[in-house]
Amino acid sequence: MKSIVFAYAVVVFCALAVAQTKSSEILVIFPTTAQSHYRVVRPLIHRLLDRGHKILAITNFPDAVERANLSHIDISGLKPHSKFETNNNGIIRSIKRVIGNTYTYATILNHPTVAKLLRSGRKFDLVIAEFFTSTPIFAPIATVVDAPIVGFCPMITFPWMNQVMGMETTVSYMPTLLNNSTDQMTFLQRISNTVKSAFIEVSFNWIYDSVIREIYKNHYGIQTESTIKTMANLSMIMTNDYHSMFLPFPKPPGIIEVGGIHVVDEKPIPQDLNDFINNADHGVVLFSLGSVVSEASLGADKLCHILDAFSKLKQRVIMKFDAEKNKTQLPANVKIVKWFPQRDLLAHPKVLLFISHAGIMSVIETIHCGKPMVGIPIFGDQIFNTKLLIEKQVAVTVDYKHLESNRLFNAINEALTEKYTINMKKLQQLYNDRPHSPLETAVYWTEYVIRNKNESKELLKSQKVHLNFYQSNLIDIFAAFLLPLIMAIYIIQRTMKRLRKH
């Protein structure tokens, strides 16, 4: 009887909590074709629905199960999902890819349903947009629908983030995503970080500016000063980061850390995988290169090296890999599947290690479950993520270009030593030690912006956003002090010359 009364009280409490939450109309714009990116915002969408809000999502990944108050504009097919190759992912190629994707993302504005929405005059209480290369394209939609806008970054950080929120980027200890270093840099690493930071500044704020101006003129009929100015209306940015996991940088109140928000409660493992794991006398190692790395580009020689390393292990191995694209003989201890429930497998006590490309979602899930990692980074932030884990002594890395059987085998055995397991358990504890869960944090700040709609644009930023280059760097102040000094020196010199003549 008591349990029934308690259950009834819980239901009543939840109902009252939802009733006390003002129902709001929220527009979510996540144009990414990388499903892993959308996984970050989906838990927030579902929790906001639970709290009585109504949501329209522009996405490539509509929910398979219908929910009340959730509707979608399905844009799948406008931009095909292109996987990254395992080679030739340099900076220049990445910039070309970003610019090409920008023009493709802009076509979403011409999607019949999106165009109809923008012409309809419909108003929203909030816009949540992916904070990525597409953000400048879609930020003006918030003005069209008369709503504040919140950015949601699926990565630890991203170019523009600090500038948009009015924070100084100090390159002496704040590495860029392109720099292979942590916050403790040598002299040469600081030189590299300075050069790469300047390169990003030029690439994104000058080259990218011309692309954004063209899109604004063609699609919105307006002129814009710069890429940064296009995002001036952002009230807040949530980021897939948490300082105890990665780097403790200073942040303005408008950058909210919600790292781990995508990690949901574990579910039962499929029976075939469960049997394979339970019959492993020495534990199991997982292998996955994520969802955005092209398995087709993994050369036959690399695959042979990987499988040869696995064949020497006493542990069993589960590989997420499309075997049809690379048919080869498998060692007896290896099971290949096209997909596996990564988060659920990592939680299994018999899973000892994760061999990964070190994408941010995989890194966070590995930390959440307390398992050490062997990182084989391919591109983008993966190299940066791996470096941070190595610094904390919870991971070992193998350079993809020099991936050989013995190197991988030795890296696996090193990562399986007690030191790495103990260090990862400590990092797991730090990750979990926070006042609120990532999802609770995200919900609170999302509703905060809704509650303070009229003031939220300026509430969480520093006033640096309103200063130009010479003001923020005090060049005008130095000039004010130096000018009288220069004038005084000039007058003294002129006077001395005249005195000498006489």
Side-chain angles (χ1 to χ4, degrees), residues 459-473:
L459 271 176
L460 304 175
K461 299 178 184 178
S462 79
Q463 287 303 301
K464 185 180 182 297
V465 296
H466 299 296
L467 301 179
N468 56 35
F469 177 80
Y470 69 81
Q471 290 173 326
S472 62
N473 290 280

Side-chain angles (χ1 to χ4, degrees), residues 15 86 91 98 104 140 149 169 230 246 275 294 357 422 466 481:
T86 53
I91 296 175
V98 166
T104 307
I149 178 171
T169 299
T230 65
F246 302 115
D275 292 341
S294 173
H357 65 312
I422 291 172
H466 299 296
F481 280 110

Side-chain angles (χ1 to χ4, degrees), residues 265-470:
D265 294 337
E266 62 184 280
K267 299 182 287 295
I269 296 170
Q271 192 60 47
D272 63 324
L273 294 177
N274 198 43
D275 292 341
F276 185 80
I277 294 172
N278 288 331
N279 291 327
D281 295 331
H282 302 285
V284 173
V285 173
L286 300 182
F287 174 93
S288 172
L289 294 180
S291 61
V292 296
V293 175
S294 173
E295 293 159 330
S297 68
L298 185 69
D301 59 329
K302 298 293 186 187
L303 181 58
C304 286
H305 280 300
I306 292 170
L307 293 176
D308 185 59
F310 291 166
S311 69
K312 301 173 187 176
L313 297 173
K314 61 182 180 180
Q315 293 82 14
R316 288 187 168 188
V317 180
I318 301 177
M319 288 183 69
K320 188 183 84 66
F321 195 80
D322 191 348
E324 294 180 1
K325 295 177 181 177
N326 287 282
K327 294 188 180 296
T328 186
Q329 187 68 33
L330 295 180
N333 63 331
V334 175
K335 182 179 181 66
I336 284 187
V337 292
K338 283 189 177 182
W339 174 88
F340 58 47
Q342 181 172 294
R343 181 265 181 275
D344 305 322
L345 289 175
L346 284 168
H348 197 289
K350 277 200 167 186
V351 171
L352 308 176
L353 177 72
F354 188 26
I355 304 172
S356 169
H357 65 312
I360 189 61
M361 316 299 173
S362 295
V363 166
I364 291 175
E365 288 174 11
T366 306
I367 295 172
H368 181 93
C369 296
K371 305 297 169 72
M373 177 184 280
V374 171
I376 309 177
I378 308 294
F379 70 95
D381 65 329
Q382 297 163 11
I383 300 169
F384 181 73
N385 299 339
T386 304
K387 184 69 177 178
L388 297 181
L389 295 180
I390 291 171
E391 189 74 15
K392 295 178 184 296
Q393 296 187 328
V394 297
V396 180
T397 187
V398 177
D399 184 2
Y400 177 79
K401 291 181 180 178
H402 303 103
L403 177 58
E404 296 174 352
S405 174
N406 287 336
R407 289 186 179 182
L408 180 57
F409 178 74
N410 292 335
I412 292 170
N413 284 319
E414 182 182 350
L416 285 170
T417 58
E418 188 178 16
K419 179 183 78 170
Y420 289 90
T421 301
I422 291 172
N423 289 341
M424 184 56 94
K425 292 297 181 184
K426 290 178 181 178
L427 185 57
Q428 180 190 34
Q429 182 181 355
L430 290 171
Y431 161 85
N432 286 314
D433 193 353
R434 52 179 107 186
H436 306 289
S437 73
L439 186 53
E440 289 171 342
T441 302
V443 168
Y444 172 80
W445 286 106
T446 299
E447 293 182 341
Y448 175 91
V449 173
I450 294 173
R451 288 194 301 270
N452 300 283
K453 175 180 179 180
N454 296 328
E455 296 83 18
S456 64
K457 184 178 174 182
E458 297 290 334
L459 271 176
L460 304 175
K461 299 178 184 178
S462 79
Q463 287 303 301
K464 185 180 182 297
V465 296
H466 299 296
L467 301 179
N468 56 35
F469 177 80
Y470 69 81

Side-chain angles (χ1 to χ4, degrees), residues 56-94:
L56 170 61
I58 300 175
T59 176
N60 285 281
F61 309 102
D63 282 28
V65 180
E66 289 189 10
R67 290 196 55 166
N69 294 331
L70 175 62
S71 55
H72 301 92
I73 296 178
D74 185 356
I75 57 172
S76 57
L78 285 182
K79 180 185 179 297
H81 177 45
S82 55
K83 291 193 173 188
F84 282 80
E85 302 295 318
T86 53
N87 51 34
N88 194 17
N89 287 306
I91 296 175
I92 302 298
R93 183 181 174 88
S94 297

Side-chain angles (χ1 to χ4, degrees), residues 133-205:
T133 55
S134 59
T135 311
I137 302 169
F138 300 104
I141 290 179
T143 303
V144 175
V145 300
D146 191 29
I149 178 171
V150 168
F152 203 128
C153 182
M155 300 165 69
I156 299 173
T157 185
F158 199 70
W160 307 323
M161 185 181 293
N162 291 346
Q163 287 176 278
V164 169
M165 300 310 296
M167 190 182 91
E168 196 72 46
T169 299
T170 309
V171 296
S172 59
Y173 71 94
M174 299 171 73
T176 72
L177 286 175
L178 299 178
N179 205 44
N180 189 18
S181 63
T182 65
D183 53 349
Q184 299 178 33
M185 289 180 267
T186 64
F187 176 72
L188 291 178
Q189 286 173 330
R190 281 186 287 126
I191 290 176
S192 172
N193 195 47
T194 302
V195 172
K196 289 178 179 177
S197 296
F199 185 82
I200 291 174
E201 184 83 11
V202 171
S203 301
F204 282 95
N205 292 350

Side-chain angles (χ1 to χ4, degrees), residues 9-44:
V10 170
V11 170
V12 171
F13 175 79
C14 292
L16 288 172
V18 171
Q20 290 173 0
T21 304
K22 178 182 175 295
S23 178
S24 300
E25 298 261 357
I26 301 173
L27 176 63
V28 175
I29 308 172
F30 250 71
T32 179
T33 56
Q35 192 165 6
S36 58
H37 283 206
Y38 194 66
R39 283 177 55 212
V40 178
V41 77
R42 182 170 268 150
L44 176 59

